[in-house]
Amino acid sequence: MEEKWEHPQDTEVLGALDLGGASTQITFQPGVPVEDRNTSVFFRLYGTNYSLYSHSYLCYGQSQALKMLLAALHQASSSAQISHPCYPQGYQENLTVAELYDSPCVRAPSSASPGLVLRVTGTGDPAACGTAVQRLFNFSCGAQWPCGFNGVYQPPVRGQFLAFSGFYHSLHFLNLTGGQSLSLVNATIWQICNSSWEQVQELFPTASRTQLRDACTASSYTLTLLLQGYKFNYTTWPNIHFVQQVANVDVGWTLGCMLNLTNIIPSEPLTAVTELPRNIWIAATVLLAIMLILSFCLLTAMCYQRNSSGYEQL
Ligand SMILES: Nc1ncnc2c1ncn2[C@@H]1O[C@H](COP(=O)(O)OP(=O)(O)OP(=O)(O)O)[C@@H](O)[C@H]1O
């Protein structure tokens, strides 16, 4: 993917990290054969064969993950008061049980009445926030070693990656998409998670209330997903490139879908047509021309004959 949407000749294939609202996807060319056929993708794109690892985690998109976190905190609190360690200290909001449990990714407890109003209060506690976010995942691999998370097989990440959608937005808000070191990213997220509601409003005066509320949660979630989920580390962190666009085009699953569909149009030359021997092509053309001329002459003769016989009858 360098300026042109063409297959690269002997160039490195970039991996893709997509964080949508409902799901997250990882795709890359692994260095080892993919052991689990459910996660291996073979396809031919513009004349080149690719063998990739790809998996989509439903409910682990940014919006749904944040909802799962709030639901987990609610269920841990066993009251209508929810302390949220990732919301800035001093931030408060109300929402109903029905609003919280409005998606298949969060299952409402049978005891919860939909109309009950829950009061969410931010405590701005970075350590507790990190722990709460990690509890959304199951990091044990079981029989599926090596794995990503929730027991899903994943070979070790390899090569350069483009990270877009929610990955880009959550870190761009904190000015962390310019190739900053992992230490700086960690420190910046810790700092924002440690801030009060007044402090975040002063730091980002033009940001919306939702952006300010979710700045810590979204960035903490992004980092946990990349490091503990997809298993990036200090060595491979610089291989992640946070982008919104490639060659002035917004990247996301819609672009991938479009590329996959346009792939139906072959980029290779049509060998069957171009490789027809020249002399056969000339002979066929001449034969066709002769047949056309003969047909024209025959038609003219038939018309002439019909007209003559008509006059004779008169
Ligand atoms: N301009 C933006 N600024 C800040 N955050 C954004 C912006 N656009 C999207 N996001 C956040 O990034 C996440 C992913 O956004 P995206 O538009 O890719 O979601 P989507 O297309 O609805 O997801 P899905 O692919 O799962 O259907 C969302 O949770 C959203 O909150």
CSV table of all heavy atoms in Angstrom, one decimal, residues 31-92:
chain,number,residue,atom,x,y,z
A,31,GLY,N,5.0,-15.3,10.0
A,31,GLY,CA,6.3,-15.9,9.6
A,31,GLY,C,6.2,-17.5,9.6
A,31,GLY,O,7.1,-18.1,9.2
A,32,VAL,N,5.1,-18.0,10.2
A,32,VAL,CA,5.0,-19.4,10.3
A,32,VAL,C,3.6,-19.8,9.6
A,32,VAL,O,2.7,-19.0,9.5
A,32,VAL,CB,5.0,-19.9,11.8
A,32,VAL,CG1,6.3,-19.7,12.4
A,32,VAL,CG2,3.9,-19.1,12.6
A,33,PRO,N,3.5,-21.1,9.2
A,33,PRO,CA,2.1,-21.5,8.7
A,33,PRO,C,1.1,-21.3,9.7
A,33,PRO,O,1.3,-21.6,10.9
A,33,PRO,CB,2.3,-23.0,8.3
A,33,PRO,CG,3.8,-23.2,8.3
A,33,PRO,CD,4.4,-22.2,9.2
A,34,VAL,N,-0.1,-20.9,9.3
A,34,VAL,CA,-1.2,-20.7,10.2
A,34,VAL,C,-1.8,-22.0,10.6
A,34,VAL,O,-2.2,-22.8,9.8
A,34,VAL,CB,-2.3,-19.8,9.6
A,34,VAL,CG1,-3.5,-19.6,10.5
A,34,VAL,CG2,-1.7,-18.4,9.3
A,35,GLU,N,-1.8,-22.3,11.9
A,35,GLU,CA,-2.2,-23.7,12.4
A,35,GLU,C,-3.7,-23.9,12.5
A,35,GLU,O,-4.2,-25.0,12.3
A,35,GLU,CB,-1.5,-24.0,13.7
A,35,GLU,CG,0.0,-24.2,13.6
A,35,GLU,CD,0.6,-24.3,15.0
A,35,GLU,OE1,0.0,-24.5,16.0
A,35,GLU,OE2,1.9,-24.0,15.0
A,36,ASP,N,-4.4,-22.8,12.7
A,36,ASP,CA,-5.8,-22.9,12.8
A,36,ASP,C,-6.5,-22.4,11.5
A,36,ASP,O,-6.4,-21.2,11.2
A,36,ASP,CB,-6.3,-22.0,14.0
A,36,ASP,CG,-7.8,-22.0,14.2
A,36,ASP,OD1,-8.5,-22.8,13.5
A,36,ASP,OD2,-8.3,-21.1,15.0
A,37,ARG,N,-7.2,-23.3,10.8
A,37,ARG,CA,-7.7,-22.9,9.5
A,37,ARG,C,-8.8,-21.8,9.6
A,37,ARG,O,-9.1,-21.2,8.7
A,37,ARG,CB,-8.3,-24.2,8.8
A,37,ARG,CG,-7.2,-24.8,8.0
A,37,ARG,CD,-7.8,-25.7,6.9
A,37,ARG,NE,-8.3,-27.0,7.4
A,37,ARG,CZ,-9.2,-27.7,6.8
A,37,ARG,NH1,-9.8,-27.3,5.7
A,37,ARG,NH2,-9.5,-28.9,7.3
A,38,ASN,N,-9.4,-21.7,10.8
A,38,ASN,CA,-10.5,-20.7,11.0
A,38,ASN,C,-9.9,-19.3,10.9
A,38,ASN,O,-10.6,-18.3,10.7
A,38,ASN,CB,-11.2,-20.8,12.3
A,38,ASN,CG,-12.0,-22.1,12.4
A,38,ASN,OD1,-12.5,-22.5,11.4
A,38,ASN,ND2,-12.0,-22.7,13.6
A,39,THR,N,-8.6,-19.2,11.1
A,39,THR,CA,-8.0,-17.8,11.1
A,39,THR,C,-7.1,-17.6,9.9
A,39,THR,O,-6.4,-16.6,9.9
A,39,THR,CB,-7.2,-17.6,12.4
A,39,THR,OG1,-6.2,-18.6,12.6
A,39,THR,CG2,-8.1,-17.6,13.7
A,40,SER,N,-7.0,-18.6,9.0
A,40,SER,CA,-6.1,-18.4,7.9
A,40,SER,C,-6.9,-17.9,6.7
A,40,SER,O,-8.1,-18.4,6.5
A,40,SER,CB,-5.3,-19.7,7.6
A,40,SER,OG,-6.1,-20.6,6.9
A,41,VAL,N,-6.4,-17.0,5.9
A,41,VAL,CA,-7.0,-16.5,4.8
A,41,VAL,C,-6.1,-16.6,3.6
A,41,VAL,O,-5.0,-16.1,3.6
A,41,VAL,CB,-7.4,-15.0,5.0
A,41,VAL,CG1,-8.2,-14.4,3.8
A,41,VAL,CG2,-8.1,-14.7,6.3
A,42,PHE,N,-6.5,-17.2,2.5
A,42,PHE,CA,-5.8,-17.3,1.3
A,42,PHE,C,-6.6,-16.4,0.3
A,42,PHE,O,-7.7,-16.6,0.1
A,42,PHE,CB,-5.6,-18.7,0.8
A,42,PHE,CG,-4.8,-19.6,1.7
A,42,PHE,CD1,-5.4,-20.4,2.6
A,42,PHE,CD2,-3.4,-19.6,1.6
A,42,PHE,CE1,-4.7,-21.2,3.4
A,42,PHE,CE2,-2.7,-20.4,2.4
A,42,PHE,CZ,-3.3,-21.2,3.3
A,43,PHE,N,-5.9,-15.5,-0.4
A,43,PHE,CA,-6.6,-14.9,-1.5
A,43,PHE,C,-5.6,-14.3,-2.5
A,43,PHE,O,-4.4,-14.2,-2.2
A,43,PHE,CB,-7.6,-13.8,-1.0
A,43,PHE,CG,-7.0,-12.6,-0.4
A,43,PHE,CD1,-6.9,-11.4,-1.1
A,43,PHE,CD2,-6.4,-12.6,0.9
A,43,PHE,CE1,-6.4,-10.3,-0.6
A,43,PHE,CE2,-5.8,-11.4,1.4
A,43,PHE,CZ,-5.8,-10.3,0.7
A,44,ARG,N,-6.2,-14.0,-3.6
A,44,ARG,CA,-5.4,-13.5,-4.8
A,44,ARG,C,-5.8,-12.1,-5.0
A,44,ARG,O,-7.0,-11.9,-5.3
A,44,ARG,CB,-5.6,-14.4,-6.0
A,44,ARG,CG,-4.8,-14.1,-7.2
A,44,ARG,CD,-4.9,-15.2,-8.2
A,44,ARG,NE,-4.2,-14.9,-9.4
A,44,ARG,CZ,-2.9,-15.0,-9.6
A,44,ARG,NH1,-2.2,-15.5,-8.6
A,44,ARG,NH2,-2.3,-14.7,-10.7
A,45,LEU,N,-4.9,-11.1,-4.8
A,45,LEU,CA,-5.3,-9.7,-5.0
A,45,LEU,C,-4.5,-9.1,-6.1
A,45,LEU,O,-3.2,-9.1,-6.0
A,45,LEU,CB,-5.1,-9.0,-3.7
A,45,LEU,CG,-5.6,-7.6,-3.6
A,45,LEU,CD1,-7.1,-7.5,-3.8
A,45,LEU,CD2,-5.2,-6.9,-2.3
A,46,TYR,N,-5.1,-8.8,-7.2
A,46,TYR,CA,-4.5,-8.1,-8.4
A,46,TYR,C,-3.2,-8.9,-8.8
A,46,TYR,O,-2.2,-8.4,-9.0
A,46,TYR,CB,-4.1,-6.7,-8.1
A,46,TYR,CG,-5.3,-5.9,-7.7
A,46,TYR,CD1,-5.6,-5.4,-6.4
A,46,TYR,CD2,-6.3,-5.6,-8.7
A,46,TYR,CE1,-6.7,-4.8,-6.1
A,46,TYR,CE2,-7.5,-5.0,-8.4
A,46,TYR,CZ,-7.7,-4.5,-7.1
A,46,TYR,OH,-8.8,-3.9,-6.8
A,47,GLY,N,-3.4,-10.2,-8.9
A,47,GLY,CA,-2.4,-11.1,-9.5
A,47,GLY,C,-1.4,-11.6,-8.5
A,47,GLY,O,-0.5,-12.3,-9.0
A,48,THR,N,-1.5,-11.3,-7.3
A,48,THR,CA,-0.5,-11.9,-6.3
A,48,THR,C,-1.2,-12.7,-5.2
A,48,THR,O,-2.3,-12.3,-4.8
A,48,THR,CB,0.2,-10.7,-5.6
A,48,THR,OG1,0.8,-9.9,-6.6
A,48,THR,CG2,1.4,-11.2,-4.7
A,49,ASN,N,-0.6,-13.8,-4.9
A,49,ASN,CA,-1.2,-14.7,-3.9
A,49,ASN,C,-0.8,-14.3,-2.5
A,49,ASN,O,0.4,-13.9,-2.3
A,49,ASN,CB,-0.8,-16.2,-4.1
A,49,ASN,CG,-1.5,-16.7,-5.3
A,49,ASN,OD1,-2.6,-16.4,-5.6
A,49,ASN,ND2,-0.7,-17.6,-6.0
A,50,TYR,N,-1.7,-14.3,-1.5
A,50,TYR,CA,-1.4,-13.9,-0.1
A,50,TYR,C,-1.9,-15.0,0.8
A,50,TYR,O,-3.0,-15.5,0.6
A,50,TYR,CB,-2.0,-12.6,0.2
A,50,TYR,CG,-1.5,-11.4,-0.5
A,50,TYR,CD1,-2.2,-11.0,-1.7
A,50,TYR,CD2,-0.4,-10.7,-0.1
A,50,TYR,CE1,-1.7,-10.0,-2.5
A,50,TYR,CE2,0.1,-9.7,-0.9
A,50,TYR,CZ,-0.6,-9.3,-2.0
A,50,TYR,OH,-0.1,-8.2,-2.7
A,51,SER,N,-1.1,-15.4,1.8
A,51,SER,CA,-1.6,-16.3,2.8
A,51,SER,C,-1.4,-15.5,4.1
A,51,SER,O,-0.3,-15.2,4.6
A,51,SER,CB,-0.6,-17.5,2.8
A,51,SER,OG,-0.9,-18.3,4.0
A,52,LEU,N,-2.6,-15.2,4.7
A,52,LEU,CA,-2.6,-14.3,5.9
A,52,LEU,C,-3.2,-15.0,7.1
A,52,LEU,O,-4.0,-15.9,7.0
A,52,LEU,CB,-3.4,-13.0,5.6
A,52,LEU,CG,-2.9,-12.2,4.3
A,52,LEU,CD1,-3.9,-11.1,4.1
A,52,LEU,CD2,-1.5,-11.7,4.5
A,53,TYR,N,-2.9,-14.4,8.3
A,53,TYR,CA,-3.7,-14.7,9.5
A,53,TYR,C,-4.7,-13.5,9.7
A,53,TYR,O,-4.3,-12.3,9.6
A,53,TYR,CB,-2.7,-14.7,10.7
A,53,TYR,CG,-3.5,-14.7,12.0
A,53,TYR,CD1,-3.9,-15.9,12.6
A,53,TYR,CD2,-3.8,-13.5,12.7
A,53,TYR,CE1,-4.7,-15.9,13.7
A,53,TYR,CE2,-4.5,-13.5,13.9
A,53,TYR,CZ,-4.9,-14.7,14.4
A,53,TYR,OH,-5.7,-14.7,15.5
A,54,SER,N,-5.9,-13.8,10.0
A,54,SER,CA,-6.9,-12.8,10.3
A,54,SER,C,-7.9,-13.2,11.3
A,54,SER,O,-8.4,-14.4,11.2
A,54,SER,CB,-7.6,-12.4,9.0
A,54,SER,OG,-8.4,-11.3,9.2
A,55,HIS,N,-8.2,-12.4,12.3
A,55,HIS,CA,-9.3,-12.7,13.2
A,55,HIS,C,-10.0,-11.4,13.6
A,55,HIS,O,-9.4,-10.4,13.8
A,55,HIS,CB,-8.7,-13.4,14.4
A,55,HIS,CG,-9.9,-13.9,15.3
A,55,HIS,ND1,-10.7,-15.0,15.0
A,55,HIS,CD2,-10.4,-13.4,16.5
A,55,HIS,CE1,-11.6,-15.2,15.9
A,55,HIS,NE2,-11.4,-14.2,16.8
A,56,SER,N,-11.3,-11.6,13.8
A,56,SER,CA,-12.2,-10.5,14.2
A,56,SER,C,-12.8,-10.8,15.6
A,56,SER,O,-13.4,-11.9,15.7
A,56,SER,CB,-13.3,-10.3,13.2
A,56,SER,OG,-14.2,-9.3,13.7
A,57,TYR,N,-12.6,-10.0,16.5
A,57,TYR,CA,-13.2,-10.2,17.9
A,57,TYR,C,-14.4,-9.3,18.0
A,57,TYR,O,-14.3,-8.1,18.2
A,57,TYR,CB,-12.2,-9.8,19.0
A,57,TYR,CG,-10.9,-10.7,19.1
A,57,TYR,CD1,-9.8,-10.4,18.3
A,57,TYR,CD2,-10.9,-11.7,19.9
A,57,TYR,CE1,-8.7,-11.1,18.4
A,57,TYR,CE2,-9.8,-12.5,20.0
A,57,TYR,CZ,-8.6,-12.2,19.3
A,57,TYR,OH,-7.5,-13.0,19.4
A,58,LEU,N,-15.6,-10.0,18.0
A,58,LEU,CA,-16.9,-9.3,18.2
A,58,LEU,C,-17.0,-8.8,19.6
A,58,LEU,O,-16.5,-9.5,20.5
A,58,LEU,CB,-18.0,-10.2,17.8
A,58,LEU,CG,-19.4,-9.6,17.6
A,58,LEU,CD1,-19.3,-8.5,16.5
A,58,LEU,CD2,-20.4,-10.6,17.3
A,59,CYS,N,-17.5,-7.7,19.8
A,59,CYS,CA,-17.8,-7.0,21.1
A,59,CYS,C,-16.5,-6.4,21.7
A,59,CYS,O,-16.6,-5.7,22.7
A,59,CYS,CB,-18.3,-8.0,22.2
A,59,CYS,SG,-20.0,-8.5,21.8
A,60,TYR,N,-15.4,-6.5,21.0
A,60,TYR,CA,-14.1,-5.9,21.5
A,60,TYR,C,-13.8,-4.6,20.7
A,60,TYR,O,-12.7,-4.1,20.7
A,60,TYR,CB,-13.0,-6.9,21.5
A,60,TYR,CG,-13.1,-7.8,22.7
A,60,TYR,CD1,-14.0,-8.9,22.7
A,60,TYR,CD2,-12.5,-7.5,23.9
A,60,TYR,CE1,-14.1,-9.8,23.8
A,60,TYR,CE2,-12.7,-8.3,25.0
A,60,TYR,CZ,-13.5,-9.5,24.9
A,60,TYR,OH,-13.7,-10.2,26.1
A,61,GLY,N,-14.8,-4.1,20.0
A,61,GLY,CA,-14.7,-2.7,19.4
A,61,GLY,C,-14.7,-1.7,20.5
A,61,GLY,O,-15.1,-2.1,21.7
A,62,GLN,N,-14.4,-0.5,20.3
A,62,GLN,CA,-14.2,0.5,21.3
A,62,GLN,C,-15.5,0.8,22.1
A,62,GLN,O,-15.5,0.7,23.3
A,62,GLN,CB,-13.7,1.8,20.8
A,62,GLN,CG,-13.3,2.8,21.8
A,62,GLN,CD,-12.6,4.0,21.2
A,62,GLN,OE1,-11.5,3.9,20.7
A,62,GLN,NE2,-13.3,5.1,21.3
A,63,SER,N,-16.6,1.0,21.4
A,63,SER,CA,-17.9,1.4,22.1
A,63,SER,C,-18.4,0.2,22.9
A,63,SER,O,-18.8,0.4,24.1
A,63,SER,CB,-18.9,1.7,21.0
A,63,SER,OG,-18.5,2.7,20.1
A,64,GLN,N,-18.3,-1.0,22.3
A,64,GLN,CA,-18.8,-2.2,23.1
A,64,GLN,C,-17.9,-2.5,24.2
A,64,GLN,O,-18.4,-3.0,25.3
A,64,GLN,CB,-19.0,-3.3,22.1
A,64,GLN,CG,-20.2,-3.1,21.1
A,64,GLN,CD,-21.5,-2.8,21.8
A,64,GLN,OE1,-21.9,-3.4,22.7
A,64,GLN,NE2,-22.1,-1.7,21.3
A,65,ALA,N,-16.6,-2.4,24.1
A,65,ALA,CA,-15.7,-2.7,25.2
A,65,ALA,C,-15.9,-1.7,26.3
A,65,ALA,O,-15.9,-2.1,27.5
A,65,ALA,CB,-14.3,-2.6,24.7
A,66,LEU,N,-16.1,-0.4,26.0
A,66,LEU,CA,-16.4,0.5,27.1
A,66,LEU,C,-17.7,0.2,27.8
A,66,LEU,O,-17.8,0.4,29.0
A,66,LEU,CB,-16.4,2.0,26.5
A,66,LEU,CG,-15.1,2.7,26.6
A,66,LEU,CD1,-13.9,1.9,26.0
A,66,LEU,CD2,-15.2,4.1,25.9
A,67,LYS,N,-18.7,-0.3,27.0
A,67,LYS,CA,-20.0,-0.6,27.6
A,67,LYS,C,-19.8,-1.9,28.5
A,67,LYS,O,-20.3,-2.0,29.6
A,67,LYS,CB,-20.9,-0.9,26.5
A,67,LYS,CG,-22.4,-0.9,26.9
A,67,LYS,CD,-23.3,-1.0,25.6
A,67,LYS,CE,-23.8,0.3,25.2
A,67,LYS,NZ,-24.8,0.9,26.1
A,68,MET,N,-19.0,-2.9,28.0
A,68,MET,CA,-18.7,-4.1,28.8
A,68,MET,C,-18.0,-3.7,30.1
A,68,MET,O,-18.3,-4.3,31.2
A,68,MET,CB,-17.9,-5.1,28.0
A,68,MET,CG,-18.6,-5.8,26.9
A,68,MET,SD,-17.7,-7.3,26.4
A,68,MET,CE,-16.2,-6.7,25.7
A,69,LEU,N,-17.2,-2.7,30.1
A,69,LEU,CA,-16.5,-2.3,31.3
A,69,LEU,C,-17.4,-1.7,32.3
A,69,LEU,O,-17.4,-2.0,33.5
A,69,LEU,CB,-15.4,-1.2,30.9
A,69,LEU,CG,-14.6,-0.6,32.0
A,69,LEU,CD1,-13.9,-1.7,32.9
A,69,LEU,CD2,-13.6,0.4,31.5
A,70,LEU,N,-18.3,-0.8,31.8
A,70,LEU,CA,-19.3,-0.2,32.7
A,70,LEU,C,-20.2,-1.2,33.3
A,70,LEU,O,-20.6,-1.1,34.5
A,70,LEU,CB,-20.1,0.9,31.9
A,70,LEU,CG,-20.9,1.9,32.7
A,70,LEU,CD1,-20.2,2.6,33.8
A,70,LEU,CD2,-21.6,2.9,31.7
A,71,ALA,N,-20.6,-2.2,32.5
A,71,ALA,CA,-21.5,-3.2,32.9
A,71,ALA,C,-20.8,-4.1,34.0
A,71,ALA,O,-21.5,-4.4,35.0
A,71,ALA,CB,-22.0,-4.1,31.8
A,72,ALA,N,-19.5,-4.4,33.8
A,72,ALA,CA,-18.8,-5.1,34.8
A,72,ALA,C,-18.7,-4.4,36.1
A,72,ALA,O,-18.8,-4.9,37.2
A,72,ALA,CB,-17.4,-5.5,34.2
A,73,LEU,N,-18.5,-3.1,36.0
A,73,LEU,CA,-18.4,-2.2,37.2
A,73,LEU,C,-19.7,-2.2,37.9
A,73,LEU,O,-19.8,-2.2,39.2
A,73,LEU,CB,-17.9,-0.8,36.8
A,73,LEU,CG,-16.5,-0.7,36.3
A,73,LEU,CD1,-16.2,0.7,35.7
A,73,LEU,CD2,-15.4,-1.0,37.4
A,74,HIS,N,-20.8,-2.1,37.2
A,74,HIS,CA,-22.1,-2.1,37.8
A,74,HIS,C,-22.4,-3.4,38.5
A,74,HIS,O,-22.8,-3.4,39.7
A,74,HIS,CB,-23.2,-1.9,36.7
A,74,HIS,CG,-24.6,-2.1,37.1
A,74,HIS,ND1,-25.4,-3.0,36.5
A,74,HIS,CD2,-25.3,-1.6,38.2
A,74,HIS,CE1,-26.6,-3.0,37.1
A,74,HIS,NE2,-26.5,-2.2,38.2
A,75,GLN,N,-22.0,-4.5,37.9
A,75,GLN,CA,-22.3,-5.8,38.5
A,75,GLN,C,-21.4,-6.1,39.7
A,75,GLN,O,-21.8,-6.8,40.6
A,75,GLN,CB,-22.1,-6.9,37.4
A,75,GLN,CG,-23.3,-7.0,36.5
A,75,GLN,CD,-23.1,-7.8,35.2
A,75,GLN,OE1,-22.4,-8.8,35.2
A,75,GLN,NE2,-23.7,-7.3,34.1
A,76,ALA,N,-20.2,-5.4,39.7
A,76,ALA,CA,-19.3,-5.6,40.9
A,76,ALA,C,-19.8,-4.7,42.0
A,76,ALA,O,-19.5,-5.0,43.2
A,76,ALA,CB,-17.9,-5.2,40.5
A,77,SER,N,-20.6,-3.6,41.7
A,77,SER,CA,-21.0,-2.6,42.7
A,77,SER,C,-22.2,-3.1,43.5
A,77,SER,O,-22.4,-2.7,44.7
A,77,SER,CB,-21.3,-1.3,42.1
A,77,SER,OG,-22.5,-1.3,41.5
A,78,SER,N,-23.1,-3.9,42.9
A,78,SER,CA,-24.3,-4.4,43.5
A,78,SER,C,-25.2,-3.2,44.1
A,78,SER,O,-25.9,-3.4,45.1
A,78,SER,CB,-24.1,-5.5,44.5
A,78,SER,OG,-23.4,-4.9,45.7
A,79,SER,N,-25.1,-2.1,43.5
A,79,SER,CA,-26.0,-1.0,43.9
A,79,SER,C,-26.2,0.0,42.7
A,79,SER,O,-25.6,-0.3,41.7
A,79,SER,CB,-25.4,-0.2,45.1
A,79,SER,OG,-24.5,0.7,44.7
A,80,ALA,N,-26.9,1.0,42.9
A,80,ALA,CA,-27.2,2.0,41.8
A,80,ALA,C,-26.0,3.0,41.7
A,80,ALA,O,-26.1,3.8,40.8
A,80,ALA,CB,-28.5,2.7,42.0
A,81,GLN,N,-25.1,2.9,42.6
A,81,GLN,CA,-23.9,3.8,42.5
A,81,GLN,C,-22.7,3.0,41.9
A,81,GLN,O,-22.3,2.0,42.4
A,81,GLN,CB,-23.5,4.2,44.0
A,81,GLN,CG,-24.5,4.8,44.8
A,81,GLN,CD,-24.9,6.2,44.3
A,81,GLN,OE1,-24.0,6.9,43.9
A,81,GLN,NE2,-26.1,6.6,44.5
A,82,ILE,N,-22.2,3.6,40.8
A,82,ILE,CA,-21.0,2.9,40.1
A,82,ILE,C,-19.8,3.8,40.2
A,82,ILE,O,-19.9,5.0,39.8
A,82,ILE,CB,-21.3,2.6,38.6
A,82,ILE,CG1,-22.6,1.8,38.5
A,82,ILE,CG2,-20.2,2.0,38.0
A,82,ILE,CD1,-23.1,1.6,37.0
A,83,SER,N,-18.7,3.3,40.8
A,83,SER,CA,-17.5,4.1,40.8
A,83,SER,C,-16.7,3.6,39.6
A,83,SER,O,-16.4,2.4,39.4
A,83,SER,CB,-16.7,3.7,42.1
A,83,SER,OG,-17.3,4.2,43.2
A,84,HIS,N,-16.3,4.6,38.7
A,84,HIS,CA,-15.6,4.3,37.5
A,84,HIS,C,-14.2,4.8,37.6
A,84,HIS,O,-13.9,6.0,37.6
A,84,HIS,CB,-16.3,5.0,36.3
A,84,HIS,CG,-16.0,4.3,35.0
A,84,HIS,ND1,-14.7,4.0,34.6
A,84,HIS,CD2,-16.8,3.9,34.0
A,84,HIS,CE1,-14.7,3.5,33.4
A,84,HIS,NE2,-16.0,3.3,33.0
A,85,PRO,N,-13.2,3.9,37.7
A,85,PRO,CA,-11.8,4.3,37.9
A,85,PRO,C,-11.2,5.0,36.7
A,85,PRO,O,-10.2,5.6,36.8
A,85,PRO,CB,-11.1,3.0,38.2
A,85,PRO,CG,-11.9,1.9,37.6
A,85,PRO,CD,-13.3,2.4,37.7
A,86,CYS,N,-11.8,4.8,35.5
A,86,CYS,CA,-11.2,5.3,34.3
A,86,CYS,C,-11.9,6.7,33.9
A,86,CYS,O,-11.4,7.4,33.0
A,86,CYS,CB,-11.4,4.4,33.1
A,86,CYS,SG,-10.8,2.7,33.4
A,87,TYR,N,-13.0,7.1,34.6
A,87,TYR,CA,-13.5,8.4,34.3
A,87,TYR,C,-12.8,9.4,35.3
A,87,TYR,O,-12.4,9.0,36.4
A,87,TYR,CB,-15.0,8.4,34.7
A,87,TYR,CG,-16.0,7.7,33.7
A,87,TYR,CD1,-15.5,7.2,32.5
A,87,TYR,CD2,-17.3,7.7,33.9
A,87,TYR,CE1,-16.3,6.6,31.6
A,87,TYR,CE2,-18.2,7.1,33.0
A,87,TYR,CZ,-17.7,6.5,31.8
A,87,TYR,OH,-18.5,6.0,30.9
A,88,PRO,N,-12.7,10.6,34.8
A,88,PRO,CA,-12.0,11.6,35.6
A,88,PRO,C,-12.6,11.8,37.0
A,88,PRO,O,-13.9,11.8,37.1
A,88,PRO,CB,-12.0,12.9,34.8
A,88,PRO,CG,-12.4,12.5,33.4
A,88,PRO,CD,-13.2,11.2,33.5
A,89,GLN,N,-11.8,12.0,38.0
A,89,GLN,CA,-12.3,12.3,39.3
A,89,GLN,C,-13.2,13.5,39.3
A,89,GLN,O,-12.8,14.6,38.8
A,89,GLN,CB,-11.1,12.5,40.3
A,89,GLN,CG,-11.6,12.4,41.7
A,89,GLN,CD,-10.4,12.6,42.6
A,89,GLN,OE1,-9.4,13.1,42.3
A,89,GLN,NE2,-10.6,12.1,43.9
A,90,GLY,N,-14.4,13.4,39.8
A,90,GLY,CA,-15.3,14.5,39.9
A,90,GLY,C,-16.3,14.5,38.8
A,90,GLY,O,-17.3,15.2,38.8
A,91,TYR,N,-16.2,13.6,37.8
A,91,TYR,CA,-17.1,13.5,36.7
A,91,TYR,C,-18.3,12.7,37.2
A,91,TYR,O,-18.2,11.7,37.9
A,91,TYR,CB,-16.5,12.8,35.5
A,91,TYR,CG,-17.5,12.5,34.4
A,91,TYR,CD1,-17.8,13.5,33.4
A,91,TYR,CD2,-18.2,11.3,34.3
A,91,TYR,CE1,-18.8,13.3,32.5
A,91,TYR,CE2,-19.1,11.1,33.3
A,91,TYR,CZ,-19.4,12.1,32.4
A,91,TYR,OH,-20.4,11.8,31.4
A,92,GLN,N,-19.5,13.1,36.9
A,92,GLN,CA,-20.7,12.3,37.3
A,92,GLN,C,-21.7,12.3,36.1
A,92,GLN,O,-21.9,13.3,35.3
A,92,GLN,CB,-21.4,13.0,38.5
A,92,GLN,CG,-20.6,12.8,39.7
A,92,GLN,CD,-21.4,12.9,41.0
A,92,GLN,OE1,-22.3,13.8,41.0
A,92,GLN,NE2,-21.2,12.1,42.0
